[in-house]
Amino acid sequence: MSEAEHLARVARLIADHGPDVAILCDAFVAGPTDVHGAGLAVMTPLVQQVRYISDQVSAQVEELQVMLGEGPCVEAFTRRQPVLVSDLDDPHWLRHWPMFAPAAVGAGARAVFALPMQVGAICVGVVDLYRSGPGALGGDDLAEALAFADAATELLLAEHLPGGELPGSSRTFSHRAVVHQATGMVSAQLGVPVADAFLRLRAYAFAAERALDEVAGEVVGRRLRFDQTEDTDAGD
C-alpha cells in the first residue's frame, strides 16, 4: 500500500467508524483481517491505561503487560516501532519475555502484534492484536492493521478538540486563533504540511497531559520549538 493509499484508508476508517475509538476497534476485529482480538492502551513513560479490549483474551494480554512491565506493547511504545511476534511459544520470545510470553500463551494468545500509535517522535499508546494460533501478520493484513492504528491515533487526539471535531473537518484548523498560529509555526519549523503539523501539536499536548491551548501558546511565545523536541519525550 502506497503512502497515498494508506492515508486514504485511514480517512475512510475514520469516516466510517469515528468518532468513537471503541466502535473503530470493534469494526476492525470484526473485519476480514485475520486477527482474533485487540486491545488498545494509552501510554506515557509512567502510565499505561487500557482504553479498549475486545474479549477476555485481550483483557488478559493487556493486564499481564501492565502487571509485569514487559511484553510487545511495552516494547513497541519504548522503541516507537511495531513489534510483530508470530509465535510467543518460540524459545526466543520465551527468553525475551520470560514472564509475559508463557502467561499470554496460557491465556490463549499465541501470536501478538503491537503497533505504536505515533505522530512524529511522539507515541500516545499502542494497539495490541492477537491470534489464538501461530502465524505472521503481513501483506494486506499488516497494511490494514497499520491504517487502523493510525485512525485510532487520530480519533484519540480528536477527543481533546472542542466539540470533538474529527480530523480533517473544516473547523479543525480554525477553532482557536492561537492553535491555528502555532500550527503554522510548527509546519515551518519541521518543514511538514499543516495537517501533519497540527497532528504533532495535538500529540505533544496529549502525551504531556497539557491543554492544547497551553502548548500552542508556548509555541507562539517562542518558548517551545518542535524542531528541538522531535528527539525528546514530551513527558520529560
Side-chain angles (χ1 to χ4, degrees), residues 167-194:
S169 70
S170 61
R171 297 174 58 195
T172 296
F173 299 108
S174 61
H175 67 283
R176 290 175 183 164
V178 68
V179 174
H180 181 77
Q181 185 178 354
T183 299
M185 293 175 68
V186 173
S187 175
Q189 290 168 12
L190 298 179
V192 299
V194 170

Side-chain angles (χ1 to χ4, degrees), residues 29 49 59 78 84 107 109 128 133 150 154 167 173 193 201 223 232:
V29 173
Q49 177 189 8
T78 302
L84 309 177
D128 284 326
D150 282 352
E154 295 208 28
F173 299 108
L201 187 69
R223 297 184 298 277
T232 62

Side-chain angles (χ1 to χ4, degrees), residues 72-89:
C73 178
V74 177
E75 196 155 319
F77 180 80
T78 302
R79 292 168 51 188
R80 305 296 202 261
Q81 63 186 45
V83 176
L84 309 177
V85 181
S86 59
D87 189 355
L88 278 172
D89 210 26

Side-chain angles (χ1 to χ4, degrees), residues 37-104:
L40 184 154
V42 176
M43 301 176 69
T44 72
L46 299 177
V47 178
Q48 184 173 340
Q49 177 189 8
V50 178
R51 278 287 305 271
Y52 172 87
I53 51 173
S54 63
D55 55 21
Q56 187 57 39
V57 175
S58 63
Q60 291 185 64
V61 168
E62 297 304 320
E63 183 179 2
L64 284 168
Q65 295 186 94
V66 172
M67 288 191 309
L68 301 174
E70 67 176 34
C73 178
V74 177
E75 196 155 319
F77 180 80
T78 302
R79 292 168 51 188
R80 305 296 202 261
Q81 63 186 45
V83 176
L84 309 177
V85 181
S86 59
D87 189 355
L88 278 172
D89 210 26
D90 183 283
H92 168 77
W93 297 112
L94 291 171
R95 290 192 301 270
H96 192 65
W97 299 312
M99 294 182 289
F100 169 78

Side-chain angles (χ1 to χ4, degrees), residues 93-205:
W93 297 112
L94 291 171
R95 290 192 301 270
H96 192 65
W97 299 312
M99 294 182 289
F100 169 78
V105 171
R110 185 70 178 271
V112 180
F113 315 102
L115 309 176
M117 297 187 291
Q118 185 166 329
V119 178
I122 297 170
C123 186
V124 300
V126 175
V127 171
D128 284 326
L129 310 174
Y130 84 86
R131 285 178 178 159
S132 58
L137 184 71
D140 291 342
D141 281 354
L142 179 58
E144 183 70 5
L146 292 170
F148 158 64
D150 282 352
T153 304
E154 295 208 28
L155 291 184
L156 281 174
L157 296 177
E159 293 177 353
H160 290 254
L161 293 175
E165 294 96 331
L166 288 177
S169 70
S170 61
R171 297 174 58 195
T172 296
F173 299 108
S174 61
H175 67 283
R176 290 175 183 164
V178 68
V179 174
H180 181 77
Q181 185 178 354
T183 299
M185 293 175 68
V186 173
S187 175
Q189 290 168 12
L190 298 179
V192 299
V194 170
D196 189 30
F198 185 54
L199 277 176
R200 296 192 186 201
L201 187 69
R202 284 190 292 160
Y204 185 96

